[in-house]
Every structure is written in structure tokens, then in C-alpha cells.
Amino acid sequence: MTTTGNTTSATPAAPAAPAAPESFGTTTRRLGATGPSVSSPGLGAMSLSGVYGPTDDAESLRVLHAYLDAGGTLLDTADFYGAGHNEMLIGRALRERSREDAVLSVKFGATIAPSGMPVGFDGRPEHVATSLAYSLRRLDVDHVDVYRPARLDPEVPIEETVGAIQEQVDAGYVRHIGLSEVGADTIRRAAAVAPISDLQIEYSLLTREIETNGILDACRELGISVTAYGVLAKGLVAGRSGGSRDMFPRFQGENLARNRALLEQIQGIAAAKGASMAQLAIAWVAARGEDIVPLVGARRLDQVTSMLGSTAVRLDEDDLAMIDAALPVGAAQGDRYPTAFMDQLDSER
């Protein structure tokens, strides 16, 4: 990463501009046996639509361009992020460059109230084409690279939803099919209908259950990659709390104190690497396998620079063993979502 030194001046110096992100170089991975090649880490765009606080579209566009200019390709969005705002923002960014610069991963199916809060999921086949039509218009593209239901609709067999997406693949509007937050049985049923490129699911230093509940095993058996979101544990890794995070059990009361104490155990590893805790967390996920791609949210240029810097962090077997000892599966205290949301997750059944 490029840094600038301090300058001596008789008057206060203007704040330095964020360092230009470096190229991703060789950090390219393929999503599954049949999916596209993408950069790692990928950019999760949700935070550009106000989820974790106010955003500015001009700054958000700079974030998107900085990531793409550095060689990043994977942009993850959803039609319900900001009720379409997120897709329109990405569409604006892509109008200024080649469509082939980006691999667009799009989720659909979550229904929301005017407040923006999710109220359910719609995986009906007839809803797939309609949702895709709106996404294509907002993104201002003729196809998306990966299209996936955000959650399993309990009223609709996954075979029907995936079959409807496959029809859009056949029509040329979708290139690949992905899944999100589903369990091993659902993964196998979906893969029996059509090729699946990747499963998007939460995976981090504090959320490791896919290693023991059969989900990661099923993906690897079927040649399906994992695109891991929540890599920074919703900001907990970087020491953030408060605001909208208060709704999550891991940020409440004794849970927060316990989880912070867990992370403190590995701060020495980050320091020894000359890395931030956020960079260590991203590097750890990337080190779990070539079939895992971390998705990292960013809404400021310095966050883009930080996530790119994670690719320079190398973790050896001793480092990984120390992390395993400090943060084994199930170590985190508190569920990763409120109870009502946990009940909607096929991956937790």
C-alpha cells in the first residue's frame, strides 16, 4: 500500500487524499466449477445505500470507481438495498466504463415495507422474471452475471425458483445461478436442477458454523464456491458498535463485552503482520480456501484502500492454529441476527 509521509510547514497542511488503491494482481478466484472468475475480495455495496448511516452518492461513486480502477471486479448488490437505490447507483458507475469491468452479483426476493425493513420473501417463478426486469433497468445492463434468491421462500420449492432462473439463463439475461443462506439439503436440491456457481452466506472469525453443519462440505462436494459476507462481523472486528447495530444480539450487553474480548486475543497477530484487525479478518476468510471469496462493504475511499491491503497479509499455519484456538466454531456469544430473522434462515435449520 502506498503511504505519504508528514510534511513540515509553517501553516497547517490540508488533509492528505487517501492513498490510491493498488492492483489486485493475482488475487483472482473462480466462483465454482462453472461460474465466472472474480477478484478477491469482492465489494459488498449494501452500505452505499444508508444501511450503516448517511451516505453521499458522489462519494459512493468514487468508492465504486476506486475499487474497479484497482482491478476489482465483483460487485454484490440486491434489488431491495435502498429499495432500488443501490442498483441505480451501480448503474451510474457502470455507464462511465465498460460493462465487462464488473461481475454483477444480484440478490432478489426480499419484500420490504416503506420503512425499508424486510417483511418476507417471494421466490415464486413468476416473480423471478419481474424482479430481474426491474434490476436490469436500474442497473442499465442487458444481463447480470450471478442471480440469486436472497433467502429461501418456505412456500416455494427451491427447484421451482432455480428452474425459473435457469429460464433467464437460457434467455441470455443471466449468466450464472447463485444461492444465499440455505442449508446443505437445499443446496443439493438446487444443484440437481441447474449448475450453481456459489453460495452467499455469512462467514467470519466469529461466524464459522458452515465448517461443521455440512454446508461447506456440500458446497465442496458439488463444486460450489462460497462468497462470504459479514466478514467484519458487521463492524465488530473494527471495534464499531451503536446505531443500527444495536438490533443484533452480538452487540448487546454482555454479548458485546464477550465478543470484544474474544477478538482481543488475536490483536497481536494483526500487529505482527503490520495489519489492521479488519485486514486480518479479510485475510483469514481468504485463507480458508481458494473456493472462498470474502465480500467486504465499503462506503469511504479509505475503506477501499484497507480492503485492498488485506491481500498483502499472509497467514501461515501457526497463525491459523492460533486463531483456531482463540476463536473456535461457536465461540461468539449471541445469535448473528434477531430471533425473527434467524427463524427465516434455511441455513440455520
Side-chain angles (χ1 to χ4, degrees), residues 232-242 245 251 256 260 278 299-300 302-303:
L232 303 183
K234 300 179 177 66
L236 187 57
V237 166
R240 296 188 177 91
S241 61
R245 296 179 178 87
F251 287 84
L256 179 59
R260 281 178 168 167
R299 57 190 179 117
R300 300 191 313 269
D302 64 295
Q303 292 173 325

Side-chain angles (χ1 to χ4, degrees), residues 24-215:
F24 272 81
T26 59
T27 52
T28 299
R29 296 183 174 184
R30 186 174 181 179
L31 296 186
T34 61
S37 293
V38 301
S39 60
S40 174
L43 179 64
M46 181 178 70
S47 61
L48 299 177
S49 293
V51 174
Y52 292 115
T55 55
D56 173 77
D57 281 0
E59 176 71 359
S60 295
L61 288 169
R62 285 191 287 270
V63 164
L64 290 165
H65 284 302
Y67 174 76
L68 294 168
D69 288 344
T73 59
L74 179 58
L75 299 179
D76 182 77
T77 185
D79 59 7
F80 51 90
Y81 289 171
H85 169 269
N86 206 250
E87 289 180 322
M88 290 188 286
L89 185 70
I90 291 173
R92 287 174 61 188
L94 293 183
R95 281 197 292 271
E96 301 175 28
R97 56 200 315 138
S98 169
R99 167 66 181 87
E100 300 312 310
D101 285 354
V103 176
L104 294 176
S105 170
V106 181
K107 294 183 289 295
F108 74 94
T111 54
I112 59 174
S115 64
M117 291 298 293
V119 294
F121 302 98
D122 190 344
R124 293 173 300 158
E126 57 267 32
H127 185 65
V128 171
T130 298
S131 296
L132 178 60
Y134 281 108
S135 287
L136 292 173
R137 177 59 62 91
R138 287 188 289 257
L139 289 162
D140 194 21
V141 297
D142 63 2
H143 72 279
V144 298
D145 298 285
V146 185
Y147 201 52
R148 72 183 82 243
R151 298 287 188 269
L152 179 69
D153 182 340
E155 303 300 322
V156 180
I158 191 62
E159 291 87 349
E160 294 184 13
T161 304
V162 169
I165 303 174
Q166 181 60 45
E167 291 178 5
Q168 301 306 316
V169 173
D170 295 339
Y173 296 116
V174 172
R175 295 289 187 265
H176 307 280
I177 303 172
L179 299 171
S180 178
E181 286 288 0
V182 294
D185 179 64
T186 301
I187 293 168
R188 290 191 173 90
R189 289 167 52 198
V193 175
I196 304 298
S197 64
D198 65 304
L199 169 72
Q200 190 171 122
I201 196 164
E202 188 168 356
Y203 186 49
S204 73
L205 290 166
L206 293 179
T207 303
R208 299 183 55 176
E209 282 68 24
I210 65 169
E211 297 175 21
T212 58
N213 63 11
I215 289 177

